[in-house]
Amino acid sequence: MRSSLLKAVFVAGVLFSQVAVAQDANELYKTATNFMRNGDYSNAVLVLNQALQLDPDNFEYRKQLGFTFYLKGDLIKAKSVIEPLLNRKEADVQVFQIAGNIYQGREEWKTAQRMYEKAIRKFPNSGELYNDNGTLAMNFKMYDGALRSWIKGIEQDPGFPGNYYNATKTYYYSNNPLWCILYGETFMNMESFTTRTAEIRNIVLESYKKLFNDPSLFDSMVPEEEGKKGKKSRGDNGFSQAFKQCMGKQLSVITGGVDPDALIMARTRFLLDWYNSYGSSYPYALFDFQQKMLQQGMFESYNHWLFGPAANQAGYKAWIALHKQEYDDFLKYQRNHPLKPRPDEYYNDGKFTLINAGY
């Protein structure tokens, strides 16, 4: 009886000690992350090493230590800490991203490429990894390969905005403004108020100008009745042709140039025609989002938000001043009802020609 009690007390003591150590290590980790947030990487390294003395096998602590060395600019130590983690079963998307940054910082391009290939095999639905892999290809000036990676990222992880951003920028140097328009507007709704938003806003407006200034871009169309009977399939080029047909009908609306007012008219008529002809064949979250804005009476405000700052900053501010309540209502609605791209609505056939890389 006594020996059993002593054993129980001993076990309880060991467990209590382990819990105490874990709590102490976790407190140190929190302290280290605060140092990281404040840019004090030397103190972050010191405290993370203290946490690892208490919990040496902790994957998260080691990952953050490697990342801190990277931020500190010590790529040799960063690599020595991160590389062993890549083969551990706990290896997550983030540790592969950190490793990629380290390899690129050390200009170990081939190692980075092999690492991304391994990471994507392990996490085939990670938009972040496709995005980083595309950036690596762009550093090699492999423009087609970069765009292919970003498009694959959109297909596999439609909720990650970075691939839309990079694909839009790259498509801008092709003779296909359609995907600039679709991917750019999608991105602006996913990342609404950053410097990248302003950059893409200009590209989308210029892409509409390119589209309406070159009627030959509408030449490749499907007969209307054929399009109505068509059925959705992944990567089916019929989506692109359907878009061109519906948008091509709006050429007559663009009589005084491409500006927010003309685009409101053209895009409204496009939506009405789209849902009459192709909506059931090619469901698309962005068009459903636009249609909802139209039904809620917010489509005018939405389009001024999309295009106004790029078209004419003074005119945009004047419009807001005259329509403050409806614009505020739109912004509130937008915050509470964000665009959410849906899986299985991937229509890009992957065919593109970059006419001027521009990088």
Side-chain angles (χ1 to χ4, degrees), residues 138 143-144 147 170-175 352-357:
M138 186 61 75
Y143 304 117
D144 286 0
L147 183 54
T170 309
Y171 263 120
Y172 187 56
Y173 300 103
S174 76
N175 199 33
F352 46 82
T353 301
L354 297 180
I355 55 177
N356 175 12

Side-chain angles (χ1 to χ4, degrees), residues 85-200:
L85 302 182
L86 299 178
N87 294 318
R88 285 178 55 166
K89 65 178 185 299
E90 307 102 306
D92 55 11
V93 168
Q94 193 177 55
V95 78
F96 284 108
Q97 287 187 282
I98 295 168
N101 289 335
I102 293 167
Y103 290 138
Q104 291 188 66
R106 290 171 55 84
E107 298 186 357
E108 297 179 16
W109 311 116
K110 293 297 183 183
T111 305
Q113 188 176 34
R114 289 193 297 270
M115 188 277 302
Y116 282 128
E117 290 170 358
K118 173 184 175 181
I120 287 172
R121 284 196 299 271
K122 184 172 183 178
F123 299 103
N125 302 116
S126 170
E128 294 95 330
L129 291 173
Y130 286 107
N131 186 58
D132 291 354
N133 184 55
T135 301
L136 175 66
M138 186 61 75
N139 287 338
F140 283 128
K141 300 189 183 301
M142 297 168 58
Y143 304 117
D144 286 0
L147 183 54
R148 200 168 284 112
S149 187
W150 292 324
I151 292 171
K152 190 67 177 178
I154 289 170
E155 178 184 9
Q156 296 298 111
D157 187 4
F160 179 74
N163 290 302
Y164 294 97
Y165 168 76
N166 284 309
T168 300
K169 286 182 63 179
T170 309
Y171 263 120
Y172 187 56
Y173 300 103
S174 76
N175 199 33
N176 190 346
L178 179 154
W179 293 112
C180 278
I181 289 167
L182 297 178
Y183 288 162
E185 184 173 345
T186 299
F187 171 78
M188 283 194 286
N189 278 285
M190 298 173 78
E191 190 175 300
S192 301
F193 297 99
T194 69
T195 55
R196 299 203 306 181
T197 314
E199 182 183 6
I200 296 302

Side-chain angles (χ1 to χ4, degrees), residues 42 73 95 123 256 263 277 288 299 302 326:
S42 294
V95 78
F123 299 103
L263 286 172
S277 302
D288 288 351
F299 198 57
Y302 172 60
E326 59 191 275

Side-chain angles (χ1 to χ4, degrees), residues 41-290:
Y41 303 127
S42 294
N43 269 327
V45 166
L46 182 120
V47 177
L48 282 168
N49 277 320
Q50 291 174 349
L52 282 164
Q53 287 176 4
L54 296 173
D55 190 358
D57 292 326
N58 190 294
F59 177 85
E60 194 65 27
Y61 298 174
R62 290 199 176 276
K63 182 175 73 175
Q64 290 303 324
L65 178 62
F67 185 47
T68 307
F69 277 128
Y70 167 75
L71 294 174
K72 195 170 182 282
D74 192 337
L75 299 182
I76 295 175
K77 288 184 179 177
K79 179 181 176 181
S80 70
V81 173
I82 289 295
E83 259 190 345
L85 302 182
L86 299 178
N87 294 318
R88 285 178 55 166
K89 65 178 185 299
E90 307 102 306
D92 55 11
V93 168
Q94 193 177 55
V95 78
F96 284 108
Q97 287 187 282
I98 295 168
N101 289 335
I102 293 167
Y103 290 138
Q104 291 188 66
R106 290 171 55 84
E107 298 186 357
E108 297 179 16
W109 311 116
K110 293 297 183 183
T111 305
Q113 188 176 34
R114 289 193 297 270
M115 188 277 302
Y116 282 128
E117 290 170 358
K118 173 184 175 181
I120 287 172
R121 284 196 299 271
K122 184 172 183 178
F123 299 103
N125 302 116
S126 170
E128 294 95 330
L129 291 173
Y130 286 107
N131 186 58
D132 291 354
N133 184 55
T135 301
L136 175 66
M138 186 61 75
N139 287 338
F140 283 128
K141 300 189 183 301
M142 297 168 58
Y143 304 117
D144 286 0
L147 183 54
R148 200 168 284 112
S149 187
W150 292 324
I151 292 171
K152 190 67 177 178
I154 289 170
E155 178 184 9
Q156 296 298 111
D157 187 4
F160 179 74
N163 290 302
Y164 294 97
Y165 168 76
N166 284 309
T168 300
K169 286 182 63 179
T170 309
Y171 263 120
Y172 187 56
Y173 300 103
S174 76
N175 199 33
N176 190 346
L178 179 154
W179 293 112
C180 278
I181 289 167
L182 297 178
Y183 288 162
E185 184 173 345
T186 299
F187 171 78
M188 283 194 286
N189 278 285
M190 298 173 78
E191 190 175 300
S192 301
F193 297 99
T194 69
T195 55
R196 299 203 306 181
T197 314
E199 182 183 6
I200 296 302
R201 177 178 280 117
N202 288 320
I203 288 177
V204 173
L205 181 61
E206 290 303 313
S207 296
Y208 267 110
K209 291 178 182 178
K210 182 188 288 188
L211 187 67
F212 285 114
N213 280 330
D214 187 355
S216 69
L217 294 172
F218 296 109
D219 285 348
S220 179
M221 297 180 182
V222 291
E224 186 169 357
E225 288 305 313
E226 180 183 331
K228 288 181 180 180
K229 293 184 289 186
K231 68 177 184 177
K232 172 193 167 191
S233 64
R234 292 169 68 83
D236 187 347
N237 194 42
F239 173 86
S240 300
Q241 305 310 319
F243 178 92
K244 290 176 183 178
Q245 183 181 41
C246 288
M247 194 59 78
K249 292 179 181 178
Q250 317 315 324
L251 275 167
S252 60
V253 175
I254 310 296
T255 55
V258 176
D259 60 18
D261 290 331
L263 286 172
I264 290 167
M265 178 71 74
R267 282 156 55 88
T268 299
R269 290 174 50 165
F270 166 85
L271 284 174
L272 296 174
D273 193 23
W274 180 267
Y275 282 96
N276 181 51
S277 302
Y278 301 109
S280 59
S281 299
Y282 301 106
Y284 198 53
L286 177 63
F287 296 162
D288 288 351
F289 182 80
Q290 294 171 355

Side-chain angles (χ1 to χ4, degrees), residues 10-23:
F10 175 76
V11 170
V14 170
L15 290 174
F16 178 78
S17 175
Q18 289 175 340
V19 170
V21 167
Q23 287 177 334

